[in-house]
Amino acid sequence: MAEAVEEVPLSPEEMLAAGRRHLAVRDYTSAVETLAKVCENLAKAHGDVADECAEAYLWYGKALLGLSREENGVLGDGVPGGNEEDNEEENAEDDAEDDGESADTEQNGVVEEKEVEVDKKEGEADKKEGEEDKKEGKVEEEKNEPESTTKEDEPGASTAEADVSMAEEKPGPSNGEADESIANLDNEDDVDNLQLAWEMLDLSRSILQKRAEAGADAARALLAEVHLALGEVALESETYDKAVVDMVSCLDIQKELYKSDDRRIAETHYHIGIANSLATNFEDAITHFKNAANILETRIKTLENPSSVTDDATVKKYSNSDPLYTVEGEIKELKELLPEIQEKIQDMMDYKTETIKRVRESLFSNGESTVSSVNGAGSSKAEPKPAASDISHLIKRKRKNSTEESPAPKRVNS
């Protein structure tokens, strides 16, 4: 009976729910495996671009994005200097061993001197044995000369030796190539996960776009999540301007669907601020961070009002989906987020001020000579007419340089 229960396959809805649970606990490997099966089964049953596949593609793309980030994080931890504590412990052990060895050498100096004398005697004996081996080797060479000069044995021996040498040489390069190919495959897998995430999300976007045009609010809500996820993929690929465009598309849809103090709108503003900061659009980043902070402050006031909490749709949604949700817990969480956003705003203002300062310094340093020359010309000739004659004189010089070989102007003047 137990085996029969295990063989019953899960429905696509159950597998999708299982994949989302894996994604919620950040088990990206299990989420990718589960959601990949869901997408495969739905595509076989309904077609690759069917409406039933849109949500599965969305969550599968998010899982691939999380797996790509996780892999990049693991590789990032492997940079040189990452295990400084381990290196310090090893260095301490080596120092302790060196101290112990130095102490042993000082105490056992007499023993070492005796060992040196014994080594000298053994060296003299080895020299004598070496001379005897040389004599025996010469005698054996003279005996083996006829055998080595036979013509029938030479080809076989040479080919056998060649085969042995080739067999000894081959494993080294082949193993090295295999290691390099494995490393290249690992790098390709990292890129493929991010690329595949974009492809799945873009496919989901194209399906949901058609459904959203028909006026389905559920499809529009999913479409907003797709645009936000596409923006996150663009951030990972360092195409920050594209990330801003996708996230702004998400924000436009959310403003039409949710209230102005909805937490999801604040989160999208925050993500757009991050994207703008990475794109060095500091002014836009400050604007979106401030919008996020203002929405959270308004949201806190709404949650602190008992009469408004009872009619709030977001509170009802969270209460139904999460049994551990409480209004007090959300208020606490939002108040903890506000200082982080304020810190981001201050950072952007500092970056903006520093950037303006550097630009001004570069302009002054590059234009100092030209400005001084222009000021000198103006001070020497204050009247406007001579200044105009000076400019025309400079233009004539340039024309002479460009047409030095042509004598036509001289003939006209004469």
Side-chain angles (χ1 to χ4, degrees):
M1 293 296 292
E3 294 180 358
V5 172
E6 292 178 357
E7 291 178 357
V8 174
L10 296 175
S11 64
E13 293 77 11
E14 292 174 344
M15 293 182 67
L16 182 61
R20 292 183 63 177
R21 284 195 297 270
H22 292 312
L23 186 59
V25 298
R26 298 182 181 180
D27 185 2
Y28 299 116
T29 303
S30 300
V32 167
E33 294 176 356
T34 304
L35 293 170
K37 294 179 182 178
V38 176
C39 294
E40 184 179 359
N41 295 336
L42 290 174
K44 288 180 180 179
H46 305 284
D48 294 338
V49 293
D51 292 343
E52 292 82 358
C53 301
E55 187 175 358
Y57 290 158
L58 166 61
W59 296 111
Y60 183 40
K62 285 188 173 184
L64 287 167
L65 174 61
L67 183 61
S68 176
R69 286 172 172 172
E70 186 177 62
E71 290 173 348
N72 291 334
V74 171
L75 293 175
D77 293 337
V79 296
N83 298 326
E84 294 180 354
E85 295 180 357
D86 296 338
N87 294 332
E88 290 177 357
E89 292 178 358
E90 291 178 359
N91 294 332
E93 292 177 357
D94 294 338
D95 294 338
E97 290 178 358
D98 294 338
D99 295 338
E101 289 176 358
S102 61
D104 293 337
T105 52
E106 290 177 358
Q107 294 177 357
N108 300 327
V110 179
V111 176
E112 290 179 357
E113 292 177 358
K114 292 182 179 179
E115 289 178 354
V116 171
E117 293 177 358
V118 173
D119 291 338
K120 288 181 180 179
K121 293 180 180 179
E122 290 179 354
E124 293 175 357
D126 291 337
K127 288 182 181 179
K128 293 180 181 179
E129 291 178 358
E131 292 175 357
E132 293 177 357
D133 291 338
K134 287 181 181 179
K135 293 178 181 179
E136 292 178 358
K138 290 180 180 179
V139 175
E140 289 179 356
E141 288 178 359
E142 291 175 357
K143 291 181 181 180
N144 294 330
E145 280 180 359
E147 296 177 357
S148 62
T149 55
T150 57
K151 295 181 180 181
E152 295 178 355
D153 295 334
E154 283 181 356
S158 62
T159 55
E161 290 175 358
D163 294 337
V164 172
S165 63
M166 291 293 290
E168 291 177 353
E169 292 176 358
K170 284 182 179 180
S174 64
N175 291 336
E177 292 175 358
D179 294 338
E180 291 178 358
S181 63
I182 291 171
N184 292 331
L185 287 174
D186 293 338
N187 294 331
E188 289 177 0
D189 290 339
D190 294 338
V191 176
D192 288 343
N193 285 331
L194 191 61
Q195 178 66 24
L196 184 57
W198 181 87
E199 292 176 359
M200 301 307 298
L201 292 169
D202 188 63
L203 185 58
S204 178
R205 180 197 58 78
S206 62
I207 298 172
L208 292 170
Q209 186 71 41
K210 297 177 181 179
R211 292 169 56 185
E213 291 175 357
D217 289 342
R220 296 175 68 192
L222 290 175
L223 183 61
E225 293 191 25
V226 169
H227 280 296
L228 183 60
L230 285 170
E232 292 177 357
V233 172
L235 285 181
E236 291 296 319
S237 60
E238 298 182 359
T239 53
Y240 305 124
D241 294 334
K242 179 66 170 59
V244 172
V245 172
D246 287 325
M247 291 178 178
V248 168
S249 299
C250 169
L251 182 63
D252 293 337
I253 298 173
Q254 288 178 339
K255 286 181 178 179
E256 296 176 357
L257 293 176
Y258 311 129
K259 292 183 178 181
S260 59
D261 64 343
D262 195 283
R263 181 175 175 177
R264 285 166 287 193
I265 297 177
E267 291 175 354
T268 304
H269 274 296
Y270 181 81
H271 286 298
I272 296 174
I274 294 293
N276 277 303
S277 65
L278 293 173
T280 64
N281 300 326
F282 301 125
E283 190 65 34
D284 294 336
I286 292 171
T287 300
H288 284 284
F289 283 137
K290 287 183 177 180
N291 290 336
N294 293 333
I295 292 172
L296 292 183
E297 291 175 353
T298 305
R299 181 65 182 168
I300 291 172
K301 293 179 181 178
T302 301
L303 294 175
E304 289 177 345
N305 188 357
S307 60
S308 60
V309 169
T310 56
D311 298 332
D312 191 82
T314 306
V315 172
K316 293 180 180 179
K317 179 182 178 180
Y318 288 149
S319 300
N320 295 330
S321 60
D322 187 3
L324 300 178
Y325 171 80
T326 60
V327 175
E328 293 77 10
E330 185 178 358
I331 293 173
K332 180 181 179 182
E333 186 177 359
L334 295 179
K335 287 183 177 180
E336 291 175 354
L337 290 174
L338 278 175
E340 297 180 6
I341 298 176
Q342 296 295 338
E343 185 178 356
K344 290 287 184 183
I345 294 172
Q346 186 62 43
D347 290 340
M348 292 303 103
M349 295 176 69
D350 294 340
Y351 291 148
K352 180 183 175 181
T353 304
E354 184 178 357
T355 303
I356 294 172
K357 182 179 178 181
R358 289 180 179 179
V359 171
R360 288 178 177 175
E361 289 177 354
S362 63
L363 288 175
F364 282 126
S365 61
N366 293 332
E368 185 176 2
S369 59
T370 57
V371 171
S372 61
S373 63
V374 171
N375 292 333
S379 61
S380 61
K381 296 181 180 181
E383 296 180 359
K385 289 183 180 180
S389 63
D390 290 339
I391 294 173
S392 62
H393 184 63
L394 292 174
I395 296 172
K396 287 180 181 179
R397 284 185 179 180
K398 291 181 180 179
R399 289 179 180 176
K400 287 181 181 180
N401 290 332
S402 61
T403 59
E404 290 178 355
E405 298 178 357
S406 61
K410 294 182 179 179
R411 291 178 183 178
V412 173
N413 293 331
S414 63

